[in-house]
Amino acid sequence: MDIRILDSHIREFVTTDATPEDIAREVSLRSASVEKVEYLTEDIAYEFEITSNRVDMMGVRGLSKEIAASLTGANIHATYHEEKFKTPETVTHTKHLKIVNDPTLVRRICAVELEVTQKETPEFMKKRLEEANIRPLNILIDITNYVMLEIGHPTHAFDFDQLNTHTMTIRPSKKGEKIMTLDDKEHTLHGGDIMIEDATGRIIDLAGVMGLANSAITDETTRVLFFVDNNDPTHIRKTSMGLGIRTDAAVINEKDVDPELAMTALLRGLELYEKYAQAKVVEEIIDIYPHPVKIKEVSVSFEKINTLIGIDVDGKKAVACLKLLGFDMETTDTGLLVTPPSWRVDDITMDADVVEEIARMIGYHTLPNVLPPYTTAASYHQAKDLFYWERRVRDALKFWGLTEVYTYSMVSKELKEEGKEYYQLSNPLDEQHVFMRQSLTPSLLEVTHLNKGRKDITIFELAKVYPYRKGTLPEERELLGILLHGKFGKFTHMKGVLEQLALDMGIVLNWQTPTQRENILVVPVSIEKEVIGEIHVYPHELVTAEINFELLVGKYAHMKKRYTEASKFPGLEEDITVVIDDAVPTGNIVSDIKRQSDLIKEVSMTSRYNSSRTFHIVYQSDTRNLTTDDITPVREKILSHLKKAFEGEVK
Amino acid sequence: MQEQLMQLKNDCLSLIIDADDSKTLEQVYLQFLGRSGKLTTLLKELPKLPLEERGPLGRVANEVKTIITDAIAQKQKSLQSSHITKQKSLLDVTDPGIKPPLGHLHLVTQAIDEISAIFEKIGLSRVRYPEIEWDWYAFTALNFPEDHPARDDWETFFMEEEAHKTYGRMILTPHTSSGQIREMQRIKPPVRMINIAKTYRRQSDTRHTQMFHQFEGLVVDKGISITHLRGVLNHFMKSFYGEDRNFRIRPYHFQFTEPSFEVDVDCGVCHGTGKLTNGDTCRVCKGGWMELGGAGMVHPNVLKSVGIDPNEYSGFAFGWGVERCMMMKEGLELNDLRLMYGNSLEFLEQF
Ligand SMILES: [Zn+2]
């Protein structure tokens, strides 16, 4: 939470020669981040970012302690001081107020009844409230806000004459109860909110969150019940979030304010009422505080301090800074026995917490940079390193002209497969991102729709999918998805890409006959007998592939090298073009040709046009030079076989 | 024989002069110096001569051979040079090159590659852990109290699945910090990891996407201190942002670290001054500094949750957004972060 505070206000508590720049810098480095320093005509405004664990810094007083300590840590002279409040004189005992508390809801109540005279709010107060984004209303209300700003504890004021009875009872609300808050808005309660009701059963306060219209201060108010309630923070958060009432009071109260501060806030308010509203105290101050804050000492060894910070800490300076922050301590032979201040009891519970206080006051920015010692390391196996292959495959695809996309892991209902179970978000942000995907292809197809104007699209993605398993986490696995569209949108292009990727991993892929799924041809891609993915061929120059990348790498990829000695005798090469029925698979022809002679080293199809296919054949012997006389009979054997087996005609 | 040699020399030299391409020259070479060339054949006759003639003739023959060989080499050179001169007049360097194909890697991949390389140099190994995770790993074991706002329905994505008896609700990881717990369960200290993964939060606007990436560093060993965290951060800052950049760590608050820090890098636009050269306030940074993200010393409760004794071991951790760090580095002013996952090819092909 950001709070905005004026320099003049801080200097009522801190005496220092530090410039506003000094304050902004040193406090940012050691305490709360100063987000902004703004030079006004007669003052300077700071905006501090206060973390949720430091509600004690949400008031000027608490913050000033930190400022004084931070400046001292930076060797800039600064002292913190706060005035002692005098105990008020009681005038008369005209009324007797009775408060029935529920200590599970409210931890402390300090209250006082006052007779007041309304006057104009003094300028300084108006200005400070306005700078803190609080609208001045009238002096009686302004003082409650000013006390919250200064002391950091929310306070409330009732118009005493609007209370029907002089008994107030704290209780949890019931579901469905209706109230009207002082901003004239109606709320229906969810139950369990902290309420105050009078003896007639009329609800008069939504404690710690907002006052109610029926007991609010007006310009006619002459008697005030100044009321400081310290509430259970969990109840406050539930009420405030549940009803959407995010007042400053609620935001502070839900962060667990120090109950010790309640009396300070009451006394400071009283002082201001006396000074600016000529207040007279009607009745003795009420203080209901059944379970005062218990403070636990924390011990920390010097060894722990030095090990965790990483330097030998100057003990004297550490002690001085801790004292400024409100800590008490005893020095023992081996360490410190620290008593945290009441406003830090929940925050300082173990040695590391104390080390933090010391280290930040020294200044994290003053510590040296030291790399951690490296003593052992797990052995590394590159061939099994998924990240290595990811990078290699990404680079290969990039240099073959493909572009990488990142699509969302969550997909819409339209992108999920019918009849399949999915992990589903219970609180999706929109309809496009609801189901955890089990395939990359629908997302890649969506990318082509997004880029409709493009003729040729070649994209890929490496990402996880989340196959559904009821009642437990999925076995998340990484897939490689590729989409080729346009001039490269053919099966042979996709097959070539996959074969080359596999070859680089030392893998040979197997191809099986396609099956038809509606208007898509599905070609299983396998290694040995295991299917590792599919190619989908669509009607219009579009082909996609999806490969189980984790399986490919984890089980099959290797980096073993093998060397075969080249033959000493040169080979002879020739092309043979034959016309063969289109239904005959090229793979069968190639393997048949190969079987015709041991002299055939290599056979590959180099082109296929209409019904004619051209095969490139390499003849080679390991023992002698071949002449045309050697290969003529082999060629004849090939041709006669092709004729016999496939009715192949030479062209 | 001497005459024969001279005649042969003259014939050869004139042929060399006449040769106007390398092919002809090659033939001249074969005609005279080849295996059955004229000079080779003549030289084979030498041993048949009487001993007293052999010496002087041999010398002459060798001279002829040298002269012819040199002349051919000379001519070869001049032929090549005139060939290249001809080429020069035909070579238009402004013709377009015939390019091999070149695609594009996603910006996030490029950033992740660089980040992992930087940390691997100092021994933090890359890991990756589940994105669909139990509450216990993402919150409880990381010392988040039961009612922490991060567990609210409006911050974290939850799964429509029954809660686990021990591990609680099923969620989509809102940070990479759950990887700290997974890693410390997988191996005993020393732990040195960099976990880079997809993360998810219930937020989508010009500065947020519901899916993004984080990288999480974790080092746990005996005697790990704040100065070690500083050492690692320093290495990253100088490597990723440049040797001239500075960083600072300042107090902050996180559930799973104690002490906790926020890490700032000085602004590359105003060089850490907060002011531009024309005197205006720099709008990229806050007073010369830019917030990168959080860091801290691993909270003793987090170590305890995975059975590591906090009195024996300590550690540090940091977890930052990949996209955020990248944008700060490149000064890449995307007016809408959602472009990153919009997958317009026009966008992707710029990088
Ligand atoms: Zn700047």
Side-chain angles (χ1 to χ4, degrees):
Chain A
M1 190 178 114
D2 284 0
I3 62 166
R4 190 174 159 95
I5 286 175
L6 293 177
D7 188 66
S8 63
H9 205 170
I10 289 167
R11 288 180 199 263
E12 284 179 12
F13 296 93
V14 182
T15 306
T16 180
D17 295 333
T19 63
E21 288 80 10
D22 291 336
I23 292 177
R25 184 182 62 249
E26 300 305 334
V27 174
S28 286
L29 286 168
R30 292 181 170 79
S31 183
S33 168
V34 177
E35 302 288 282
K36 204 168 163 190
V37 181
E38 201 176 316
Y39 292 84
L40 312 170
T41 37
E42 283 173 347
D43 214 328
I44 295 150
Y46 303 93
E47 275 179 31
F48 296 92
E49 186 196 357
I50 310 294
T51 54
S52 59
N53 64 325
R54 290 304 306 272
V55 65
D56 62 292
M57 281 160 70
M58 287 179 191
V60 177
R61 233 175 62 132
L63 196 56
S64 294
K65 284 193 186 84
E66 286 278 331
I67 292 169
S70 300
L71 291 170
T72 306
N75 297 320
I76 298 173
H77 181 75
T79 52
Y80 171 80
H81 42 82
E82 55 188 38
E83 70 268 55
K84 297 267 179 290
F85 300 111
K86 57 181 177 6
T87 342
E89 282 171 39
T90 311
V91 188
T92 46
H93 277 273
T94 49
K95 294 256 168 19
H96 192 76
L97 186 71
K98 194 181 162 213
I99 299 176
V100 184
N101 187 29
D102 178 346
T104 63
L105 303 178
V106 182
R107 303 185 295 194
R108 186 176 190 178
I109 298 169
C110 301
V112 66
E113 186 193 333
L114 305 169
E115 278 174 5
V116 292
T117 311
Q118 295 210 22
K119 288 191 159 177
E120 183 72 17
T121 303
E123 275 312 308
F124 83 90
M125 193 180 287
K126 274 191 189 167
K127 196 171 168 203
R128 286 175 183 178
L129 287 174
E130 274 168 351
E131 282 300 332
N133 264 321
I134 301 168
R135 196 155 57 94
L137 295 165
N138 75 40
I139 183 68
L140 304 182
I141 299 167
D142 293 347
I143 287 175
T144 63
N145 287 325
Y146 190 77
V147 171
M148 175 174 68
L149 177 69
E150 185 172 289
I151 309 297
H153 196 305
T155 66
H156 183 57
F158 295 96
D159 183 334
F160 197 79
D161 293 318
Q162 300 302 314
L163 304 178
N164 288 346
T165 69
H166 297 146
T167 301
M168 299 170 86
T169 306
I170 314 282
R171 66 158 173 92
S173 72
K174 298 178 200 102
K175 188 176 160 69
E177 280 185 295
K178 283 192 168 59
I179 54 163
M180 188 188 279
T181 43
L182 49 76
D183 53 359
D184 289 334
K185 282 188 186 135
E186 258 210 1
H187 297 274
T188 307
L189 303 177
H190 303 299
D193 311 279
I194 309 174
M195 318 268 31
I196 303 179
E197 68 178 8
D198 63 17
T200 67
R202 185 175 69 140
I203 302 171
I204 54 169
D205 191 31
L206 184 57
V209 176
M210 200 184 231
L212 299 192
N214 58 21
S215 56
I217 300 285
T218 66
D219 289 344
E220 278 70 53
T221 303
T222 55
R223 284 203 296 174
V224 162
L225 178 64
F226 184 47
F227 195 84
V228 186
D229 45 335
N230 186 278
N231 304 283
D232 174 65
T234 315
H235 280 87
I236 298 294
R237 177 164 169 85
K238 232 179 114 197
T239 300
S240 167
M241 296 299 279
L243 297 175
I245 310 178
R246 302 296 289 158
T247 53
D248 290 341
V251 170
I252 293 177
N253 278 323
E254 73 184 15
K255 294 188 175 68
D256 200 354
V257 194
D258 178 17
E260 294 291 321
L261 271 186
M263 185 53 84
T264 312
L266 188 95
L267 294 175
R268 174 60 171 149
L270 189 53
E271 189 180 72
L272 292 167
Y273 278 118
E274 283 174 340
K275 195 163 175 188
Y276 299 109
Q278 290 170 338
K280 292 192 176 61
V281 179
V282 178
E283 190 182 346
E284 260 179 41
I285 291 174
I286 294 172
D287 184 9
I288 303 171
Y289 190 18
H291 306 295
V293 173
K294 282 202 189 79
I295 295 174
K296 273 202 204 113
E297 290 175 326
V298 178
S299 80
V300 56
S301 68
F302 292 127
E303 194 202 336
K304 184 80 183 181
I305 296 171
N306 292 342
T307 314
L308 210 54
I309 298 178
I311 57 165
D312 285 335
V313 172
D314 171 3
K316 269 192 196 139
K317 190 168 174 187
V319 168
C321 288
L322 284 178
K323 280 203 169 130
L324 272 169
L325 291 170
F327 289 78
D328 270 336
M329 73 214 73
E330 262 174 61
T331 310
T332 65
D333 287 347
T334 55
L336 299 172
L337 192 60
V338 176
T339 310
S342 63
W343 57 90
R344 303 291 304 276
V345 279
D346 295 326
D347 196 29
I348 308 287
T349 58
M350 51 175 195
D351 51 8
D353 296 325
V354 178
V355 174
E356 170 169 40
E357 297 304 300
I358 296 169
R360 72 185 174 99
M361 283 302 144
I362 293 169
Y364 299 133
H365 61 293
T366 65
L367 301 177
N369 304 325
V370 183
L371 282 176
Y374 203 8
T375 49
T376 59
S379 32
Y380 174 70
H381 307 284
Q382 193 168 49
K384 291 293 158 214
D385 180 2
L386 192 63
F387 300 116
Y388 166 78
W389 290 110
E390 265 180 23
R391 181 182 270 206
R392 205 168 157 90
V393 164
R394 277 187 168 117
D395 282 347
L397 293 173
K398 171 195 160 147
F399 288 113
W400 294 341
L402 283 82
T403 292
E404 186 185 23
V405 299
Y406 271 58
T407 56
Y408 283 91
S409 311
M410 311 87 109
V411 296
S412 65
K413 201 173 152 202
E414 287 70 40
L415 262 53
K416 78 183 234 255
E417 210 178 303
E418 211 54 56
K420 218 173 180 178
E421 278 199 277
Y422 283 76
Y423 292 99
Q424 180 180 348
L425 300 185
S426 65
N427 57 338
L429 201 53
D430 50 49
E431 287 182 357
Q432 263 61 58
H433 309 93
V434 183
F435 301 95
M436 300 308 293
R437 64 179 167 185
Q438 298 182 29
S439 163
L440 303 182
T441 307
S443 306
L444 294 181
L445 290 172
E446 202 178 43
V447 174
T448 58
H449 294 310
L450 284 170
N451 292 279
K452 255 196 185 117
R454 292 296 186 111
K455 273 218 315 270
D456 303 314
I457 295 175
T458 56
I459 52 173
F460 73 97
E461 178 166 17
L462 266 166
K464 281 184 172 186
V465 293
Y466 316 85
Y468 186 76
R469 295 199 297 186
K470 192 165 181 56
T472 185
L473 300 180
E475 264 184 67
E476 296 177 11
R477 72 172 80 104
E478 187 174 40
L479 301 188
L480 168 64
I482 304 177
L483 179 146
L484 304 176
H485 174 58
K487 73 178 169 205
F488 300 109
K490 294 186 192 74
F491 170 77
T492 41
H493 277 120
M494 187 63 87
K495 181 181 174 182
V497 167
L498 295 184
E499 281 186 327
Q500 292 297 71
L501 286 181
L503 189 66
D504 185 55
M505 297 178 162
I507 298 168
V508 176
L509 299 179
N510 290 330
W511 302 93
Q512 295 162 29
T513 10
T515 53
Q516 188 168 354
R517 201 182 289 162
E518 287 169 26
N519 59 346
I520 303 167
L521 289 180
V522 178
V523 186
V525 182
S526 46
I527 302 168
E528 289 150 26
K529 291 228 165 64
E530 185 166 27
V531 175
I532 56 139
E534 282 179 356
I535 291 181
H536 291 185
V537 184
Y538 298 79
H540 304 289
E541 297 187 316
L542 177 65
V543 53
T544 61
E546 195 160 286
I547 300 294
N548 186 339
F549 192 72
E550 237 168 291
L551 182 68
L552 189 70
V553 170
K555 192 165 169 187
Y556 296 103
H558 68 83
M559 305 178 86
K560 286 174 211 127
K561 312 284 186 253
R562 255 180 58 199
Y563 169 67
T564 321
E565 206 180 343
S567 169
K568 283 191 213 100
F569 304 96
L572 289 172
E573 302 179 21
E574 70 173 343
D575 285 349
I576 297 179
T577 302
V578 274
V579 177
I580 293 182
D581 190 275
D582 274 337
V584 179
T586 301
N588 294 8
I589 304 173
V590 167
S591 57
D592 271 27
I593 294 176
K594 241 183 190 164
R595 266 206 309 275
Q596 301 309 313
S597 164
D598 288 344
L599 293 179
I600 301 172
K601 267 276 142 73
E602 267 178 57
V603 183
S604 58
M605 190 184 81
T606 52
S607 75
R608 181 170 182 170
Y609 186 71
N610 289 338
S611 301
S612 65
R613 303 181 215 189
T614 302
F615 296 91
H616 182 72
I617 302 174
V618 179
Y619 307 90
Q620 194 171 30
S621 160
D622 291 337
T623 51
R624 62 194 168 95
N625 271 325
L626 294 183
T627 64
T628 39
D629 293 345
D630 292 314
I631 63 170
T632 308
V634 179
R635 183 191 308 121
E636 271 161 18
K637 200 173 168 212
I638 293 171
L639 295 177
S640 79
H641 177 83
L642 293 182
K643 177 148 195 166
K644 207 168 68 199
F646 311 116
E647 295 175 357
E649 290 292 343
V650 187
K651 240 193 148 178
Chain B
M1 182 119 185
Q2 181 144 9
E3 263 168 52
Q4 257 180 301
L5 274 169
M6 285 307 132
Q7 184 60 41
L8 195 142
K9 183 183 89 178
N10 291 338
D11 287 355
C12 184
L13 288 178
S14 72
L15 280 172
I16 291 170
I17 290 163
D18 289 346
D20 49 10
D21 58 44
S22 355
K23 227 181 198 157
T24 320
L25 194 64
E26 175 81 21
Q27 271 159 15
V28 175
Y29 175 85
L30 289 173
Q31 195 182 335
F32 290 87
L33 294 168
R35 223 197 294 173
S36 46
K38 287 181 184 163
L39 183 59
T40 318
T41 318
L42 208 60
L43 287 175
K44 278 184 195 152
E45 301 290 314
L46 268 179
K48 295 178 191 158
L49 293 176
L51 206 66
E52 62 274 20
E53 286 178 41
R54 237 186 272 169
L57 262 179
R59 231 172 291 128
V60 175
N62 272 330
E63 259 169 47
V64 170
K65 191 177 176 183
T66 313
I67 289 167
I68 293 176
T69 314
D70 287 353
I72 288 177
Q74 198 65 41
K75 181 72 182 191
Q76 184 99 42
K77 255 192 208 161
S78 88
L79 277 178
Q80 274 171 359
S81 122
S82 67
H83 176 73
I84 218 80
T85 313
K86 221 182 285 165
Q87 287 248 305
K88 191 184 166 201
S89 63
L90 294 173
L91 180 67
D92 181 355
V93 293
T94 62
D95 277 348
I98 298 167
K99 299 183 180 86
L102 186 65
H104 305 268
L105 291 183
H106 196 275
L107 270 177
V108 170
T109 291
Q110 297 183 41
I112 290 177
D113 281 351
E114 184 177 0
I115 292 166
S116 12
I118 289 171
F119 285 112
E120 288 204 349
K121 289 276 179 289
I122 50 169
L124 273 65
S125 318
R126 174 114 185 251
V127 294
R128 189 160 52 201
Y129 284 112
E131 292 166 26
I132 299 182
E133 188 52 286
W134 298 114
D135 171 286
W136 188 83
Y137 287 91
F139 295 123
T140 307
L142 290 168
N143 199 39
F144 280 72
E146 210 48 62
D147 55 355
H148 194 277
R151 277 176 153 145
D152 284 340
D153 264 2
W154 48 84
E155 287 198 15
T156 296
F157 286 115
F158 290 89
M159 290 294 159
E160 196 81 71
E161 292 291 316
E162 242 175 76
H164 189 278
K165 266 181 257 135
T166 322
Y167 298 126
R169 294 172 76 181
M170 196 186 281
I171 59 152
L172 214 42
T173 47
H175 49 223
T176 40
S177 308
S178 49
Q180 289 185 28
I181 304 300
R182 291 275 177 193
E183 179 76 349
M184 287 189 286
Q185 283 189 338
R186 185 178 71 89
I187 53 166
K188 292 271 148 278
V191 172
R192 292 171 83 109
M193 74 154 200
I194 186 87
N195 173 30
I196 312 183
K198 287 195 166 91
T199 44
Y200 306 85
R201 277 184 208 174
R202 239 181 135 269
Q203 215 175 356
S204 178
D205 52 47
T206 55
R207 297 180 54 209
H208 301 89
T209 48
Q210 36 187 318
M211 177 181 85
F212 60 105
H213 295 76
Q214 278 195 341
F215 59 105
E216 182 98 6
L218 175 71
V219 172
V220 178
D221 204 347
K222 285 178 180 156
I224 293 297
S225 69
I226 301 173
T227 56
H228 292 138
L229 169 63
R230 285 193 55 103
V232 168
L233 294 181
N234 184 57
H235 171 76
F236 175 74
M237 296 295 175
K238 304 279 176 192
S239 309
F240 195 74
Y241 289 106
E243 295 295 339
D244 57 332
R245 302 287 287 276
N246 292 304
F247 77 100
R248 65 178 190 183
I249 58 178
R250 35 178 193 83
Y252 207 71
H253 174 65
F254 299 107
Q255 292 299 334
F256 41 110
T257 48
E258 186 70 39
S260 303
F261 318 111
E262 191 125 79
V263 183
D264 299 339
V265 62
D266 63 355
C267 175
V269 175
C270 64
H271 305 287
T273 60
K275 288 248 180 319
L276 301 176
T277 38
N278 65 7
D280 287 356
T281 306
C282 178
R283 291 204 296 171
V284 181
C285 63
K286 266 190 242 165
W289 296 96
M290 298 192 291
E291 285 173 22
L292 271 187
M297 304 305 291
V298 182
H299 197 290
N301 289 351
V302 174
L303 295 175
K304 278 185 219 159
S305 76
V306 288
I308 295 174
D309 180 1
N311 291 317
E312 195 180 344
Y313 291 100
S314 55
F316 62 78
F318 53 89
W320 304 343
V322 171
E323 292 86 347
R324 187 181 170 80
C325 284
M326 171 175 62
M327 304 261 273
M328 282 186 180
K329 177 184 183 175
E330 308 292 353
L332 197 106
E333 281 180 43
L334 290 190
N335 46 16
D336 190 341
L337 192 65
R338 288 170 295 193
L339 285 171
M340 200 73 91
Y341 303 112
N343 289 311
S344 148
L345 286 170
E346 249 165 55
F347 176 80
L348 297 170
E349 287 168 358
Q350 292 181 32
F351 310 105

